[in-house]
Amino acid sequence: MIISKLAWKSVRSQYYHYAVYLIGMIFAVTIYYSFRAIAYDQILLNSVGSEIRLKNTMEWGGFLIIIMIISFMLTVNQFFFSRRVKEIGIYQLIGMRKRQIAGVFFSEISILGITALVIGLLLGVIFSKLFSMILIKVMFLTIESSIRLSFPAMLETISAFIFILLLISIHSWFLLYSYQLTSFFKRDEKAAVTIEQLTKKQLFLGCVGVGLILAGYILSFHVLSLAADDFNPVILLSLPFLLIALCSAGTYLFFKYTIHILIWLFSRGKQRYYRGLTMLVAGSTRLHLFKGSNTLTTITIFIACSLGIIGGSASFYTLGIEGVTRTNPTDFLVSSELYGTIQKNIEQKTSITQSVPLKFKVIGGQYRQTIKNQETTTLTEPINLLGVSNYREYQKINPYLKPIVLKKKDSAVMIDDMQNGFRELITYDPVVKLTDGLMLETEGSVPDYLGNAMLRYNQRTMIVSDELFNQVKTAAAYELIAFNIKKNNDSQLTDAALKGINKEWQGPIYYELNNDAGSVKGYVSTVSKKNSEDSEEHEVWRLNYTSRLPNLEHTRKELGIFLYIILFAGILALVISGSVLMVRQFSEAEREKTTYQLLERLGISCRQIQRLVYQQNIIIFFLPMLLGIFHAFFAVRLFNQVVPSSGYQLAYLSCGLLILIYVIYYMITAKIYYWIVSKGD
């Protein structure tokens, strides 16, 4: 009974501490329940289809949220424990055993946990409709969302948070049994570290910290040039992790040492430094930053990673949609052999609005490519040729194609699928050799928006002049039909158009090509010419059709779930980082209560003390926030150097949300901080 009373009294007397803890838990319960409820929404699962593993993906998202909330609660629990060490020591002095003190902790956690579960589940049931609507929106589904009570999701949520509460209780028990009675009364003394003057160590390590951060920022602007001498996609994609490592180490040194340099420089202005309470603000802030360097470093990197991941996931979503556009620029792209059948099926439901036949010729060719200043590679393989006038006809119904103007008869433009993703990584020699002694002079390359390369044997394509196209004699020629239909957003029309047609490989070609004294020798044919076992003849096939809507729907569903999970996890991470800072400042306020009361007795007005509190907290909150935003900006800049995309803009929008969250946290924290230090014991 006494344990329950002590726990309830502790919660009531220090409700401002537990309010942050409780709000974070309620927020986590609400999100977790909503995720699990979506996984059991049969209407939504049926709409998504079996090819998209919605339930498994939402389980993964729920697991990610559980990991984040466990980290949050363990961190906050550590702050609570460090703040109450003297209270625990008093409990021991009056004869309470450690298991009884652990019971007080468990009772407090139980009170908070039960309250959070009840409120969180209630909000989860209410807001699960909103969560479902957001998911339906990002997946472009056409179903209605409704409020449903999911008992399986509720049971899983209760089980998950009971496990978390038990884990926190074990953590509290471990902390309690790790300290001896005398340690409880010495803990504050260990934390009271003061730095009166700038040392050589601080100067050196502080400059190193700034240097590491600047090195990471410079890396983000020169990632391609740095990778030029020894290009490797794995190395290139690992550079973001190098940026994180540099910024993490630099951030730690910044809060541990660089801040002393900045305050020392600030103190050189004597008139400004000794005016009012400026000196006191500087000294107190320096001590806060020094003692909380580990926490502030973690929060800064947490913010940077959260914003970077949000921007990266949005970019990944954008690139996925752009990939569908690249491979399916029109509603249908089909082989000429299938066009008649598909046309009859379509005319039963709707009509074809635009169509263009694409006539290709396949010929043996040889060209040289260089991957970012590495050794040049010579490739001898079949090349698709398309006449420039045919290309321009295709432009009329395919707005993604870049304009092409050829200067000479033997000029050509390379269609380069690498330009759809990585930028400026591959360069080509201007001369391309073809069989029959033909030569082409390339005038550059453009992104590949002709359609799925599988319909073109997955081989290189070049746009050539009409004169040269007509001059080429080859037995390997084929035709594709690109067309759009009326009401192309109706999936039933797509199903009707493809009725009785299966996606399959067709039209094989056979080739054997080699480099003979600087010229291309061999053949490309629709019939095999293999005459011996030693022959090096190759065989390739092409796909018979692609359609945009099924691919677009599948991509939207698949990437929409991914974006949905990352977005909510990122927002939760931002909320958690602000909550940790708030709890930390509350703990600091309890420690410094006597200091502020002494200032009041010395004649410092309440208004000046309030200004001191607000100035100190604005540095503690906004310094890691701004530094995290800078880290995220340059991380996104690095990704944009490698894979350009408009999706990164979501990271910048998330910065606005972060600033709003931190302004709210700052205002609430500063107000409660002042109330704590100004109230009597």
Side-chain angles (χ1 to χ4, degrees), residues 348-366:
Q348 296 176 7
K349 298 286 185 178
T350 183
S351 60
I352 295 175
T353 57
Q354 299 168 310
S355 66
V356 171
L358 300 174
K359 299 179 180 180
F360 292 92
K361 290 182 179 180
V362 187
I363 188 172
Q366 182 184 93

Side-chain angles (χ1 to χ4, degrees), residues 194-423:
T194 58
I195 308 297
E196 296 183 355
Q197 59 183 351
L198 187 67
T199 64
K200 293 181 179 180
K201 177 182 177 181
Q202 292 171 353
L203 180 61
F204 174 73
L205 293 179
C207 292
V208 170
V210 174
L212 290 174
I213 294 174
L214 292 177
Y217 292 172
I218 293 172
L219 173 67
S220 69
F221 279 91
H222 301 283
V223 57
L224 291 180
S225 59
L226 291 174
D229 295 333
D230 186 24
F231 174 76
N232 186 312
V234 176
I235 296 176
L236 185 63
L237 295 176
S238 67
L239 288 177
F241 298 99
L242 176 60
L243 173 66
I244 293 173
L246 290 172
C247 289
S248 298
T251 301
Y252 174 77
L253 294 177
F254 178 86
F255 285 114
K256 197 79 172 179
Y257 300 106
T258 308
I259 197 67
H260 297 293
I261 301 175
L262 297 178
I263 293 177
W264 180 80
L265 292 173
F266 177 74
S267 67
R268 305 300 292 176
K270 302 298 183 181
Q271 292 183 348
R272 180 179 65 250
Y273 185 68
Y274 291 105
R275 182 185 305 162
L277 297 178
T278 303
M279 181 176 63
L280 186 59
V281 172
S284 179
T285 302
R286 179 172 62 181
L287 184 59
H288 275 248
L289 293 173
F290 179 81
K291 293 188 334 184
S293 57
N294 293 341
T295 302
L296 296 176
T297 299
T298 302
I299 288 175
T300 301
I301 301 303
F302 205 48
I303 290 172
C305 290
S306 299
L307 294 176
I309 290 173
I310 289 174
S313 62
S315 177
F316 188 62
Y317 180 89
T318 303
L319 289 173
I321 300 301
E322 289 178 353
V324 174
T325 300
R326 176 174 59 85
T327 56
N328 301 272
T330 56
D331 293 342
F332 290 89
L333 185 60
V334 305
S335 65
S336 57
E337 295 86 350
L338 284 180
Y339 181 67
T341 303
I342 294 178
Q343 184 181 27
K344 290 180 181 179
N345 292 340
I346 288 174
E347 289 176 349
Q348 296 176 7
K349 298 286 185 178
T350 183
S351 60
I352 295 175
T353 57
Q354 299 168 310
S355 66
V356 171
L358 300 174
K359 299 179 180 180
F360 292 92
K361 290 182 179 180
V362 187
I363 188 172
Q366 182 184 93
Y367 59 94
R368 292 161 59 85
Q369 68 178 23
T370 304
I371 301 179
K372 212 55 181 169
N373 296 340
Q374 284 190 342
E375 184 178 349
T376 301
T377 304
T378 301
L379 299 175
T380 304
E381 61 186 14
I383 294 178
N384 295 286
L385 300 182
L386 179 67
V388 66
S389 61
N390 199 178
Y391 177 88
R392 289 170 183 159
E393 289 178 19
Y394 192 23
Q395 268 187 296
K396 296 177 182 179
I397 68 170
N398 183 354
Y400 308 104
L401 293 176
K402 302 295 183 182
I404 291 178
V405 178
L406 300 177
K407 299 178 181 178
K408 298 183 293 184
K409 172 187 173 182
D410 58 351
S411 296
V413 171
M414 187 82 73
I415 301 295
D416 183 11
D417 59 348
M418 288 297 290
Q419 286 199 26
N420 297 97
F422 295 99
R423 179 187 294 171

Side-chain angles (χ1 to χ4, degrees), residues 213-214 216-218 220-221 243 247 251 254 300-301 303-305 307-308 622-638 651-652 655 658-659:
I213 294 174
L214 292 177
Y217 292 172
I218 293 172
S220 69
F221 279 91
L243 173 66
C247 289
T251 301
F254 178 86
T300 301
I301 301 303
I303 290 172
C305 290
L307 294 176
F622 288 94
L623 188 58
M625 182 201 73
L626 293 175
L627 197 56
I629 289 176
F630 274 113
H631 291 351
F633 171 81
F634 286 102
V636 169
R637 183 70 177 82
L638 183 147
Y652 304 137
C655 291
L658 169 66
I659 293 172

Side-chain angles (χ1 to χ4, degrees), residues 509-527:
I509 60 172
Y510 306 87
Y511 68 92
E512 184 176 357
L513 301 168
N514 55 74
N515 183 6
D516 184 10
S519 60
V520 184
K521 299 294 183 181
Y523 62 88
V524 177
S525 175
T526 55
V527 296

Side-chain angles (χ1 to χ4, degrees), residues 42 59-60 62 93 120 125 207 326 377 452 492 498 545 658:
Q42 200 58 46
E59 287 177 353
W60 176 83
L93 286 176
V125 172
C207 292
R326 176 174 59 85
T377 304
N452 195 329
Q492 294 181 353
L498 300 174
Y545 79 88
L658 169 66

Side-chain angles (χ1 to χ4, degrees), residues 384-629:
N384 295 286
L385 300 182
L386 179 67
V388 66
S389 61
N390 199 178
Y391 177 88
R392 289 170 183 159
E393 289 178 19
Y394 192 23
Q395 268 187 296
K396 296 177 182 179
I397 68 170
N398 183 354
Y400 308 104
L401 293 176
K402 302 295 183 182
I404 291 178
V405 178
L406 300 177
K407 299 178 181 178
K408 298 183 293 184
K409 172 187 173 182
D410 58 351
S411 296
V413 171
M414 187 82 73
I415 301 295
D416 183 11
D417 59 348
M418 288 297 290
Q419 286 199 26
N420 297 97
F422 295 99
R423 179 187 294 171
E424 299 175 357
L425 294 180
I426 297 181
T427 56
Y428 301 93
D429 280 4
V431 176
V432 177
K433 300 176 183 179
L434 305 178
T435 53
D436 301 331
L438 297 175
M439 303 279 286
L440 294 177
E441 182 179 345
T442 59
E443 297 180 356
S445 59
V446 296
D448 186 358
Y449 282 98
L450 291 177
N452 195 329
M454 295 296 183
L455 278 79
R456 293 173 273 133
Y457 298 104
N458 202 27
Q459 299 293 326
R460 183 73 61 187
T461 300
M462 300 188 71
I463 308 302
V464 298
S465 65
D466 294 337
E467 294 87 346
L468 190 139
F469 183 82
N470 295 328
Q471 182 182 344
V472 171
K473 305 298 181 183
T474 177
Y478 63 97
E479 184 176 342
L480 303 176
I481 310 295
F483 62 93
N484 295 318
I485 62 174
K486 191 176 182 181
K487 297 181 181 179
N488 62 316
N489 59 340
D490 191 342
S491 59
Q492 294 181 353
L493 293 178
T494 302
D495 295 338
L498 300 174
K499 183 178 180 181
I501 298 175
N502 296 321
K503 185 169 287 188
E504 58 187 22
W505 300 98
Q506 67 173 37
I509 60 172
Y510 306 87
Y511 68 92
E512 184 176 357
L513 301 168
N514 55 74
N515 183 6
D516 184 10
S519 60
V520 184
K521 299 294 183 181
Y523 62 88
V524 177
S525 175
T526 55
V527 296
S528 176
K529 296 184 179 182
K530 186 175 182 179
N531 51 19
S532 67
E533 293 296 331
D534 297 333
S535 175
E536 297 182 358
E537 183 180 86
H538 300 276
E539 177 182 352
V540 290
W541 298 63
R542 58 185 171 90
L543 206 60
N544 59 344
Y545 79 88
T546 60
S547 56
R548 176 166 55 191
L549 189 57
N551 290 309
L552 185 60
E553 288 182 342
H554 182 274
T555 302
R556 282 173 171 172
K557 292 175 183 177
E558 195 171 52
L559 298 182
I561 300 172
F562 173 77
L563 179 61
Y564 175 84
I565 292 174
I566 294 299
L567 186 59
F568 274 99
I571 293 173
L572 178 60
L574 299 180
V575 171
I576 285 175
S577 65
S579 300
V580 169
L581 269 182
M582 178 182 280
V583 172
R584 180 191 179 279
Q585 288 305 97
F586 289 165
S587 298
E588 290 296 321
E590 291 286 349
R591 291 193 185 98
E592 297 187 352
K593 184 188 300 185
T594 54
T595 301
Y596 281 94
Q597 290 174 354
L598 178 61
L599 289 175
E600 188 175 355
R601 295 191 190 102
L602 292 174
I604 305 299
S605 67
C606 294
R607 187 178 184 86
Q608 287 178 305
I609 292 177
Q610 186 178 28
R611 185 182 305 164
L612 170 63
V613 167
Y614 275 80
Q615 289 175 345
Q616 178 179 291
N617 277 279
I618 200 171
I619 296 174
I620 296 297
F621 268 88
F622 288 94
L623 188 58
M625 182 201 73
L626 293 175
L627 197 56
I629 289 176

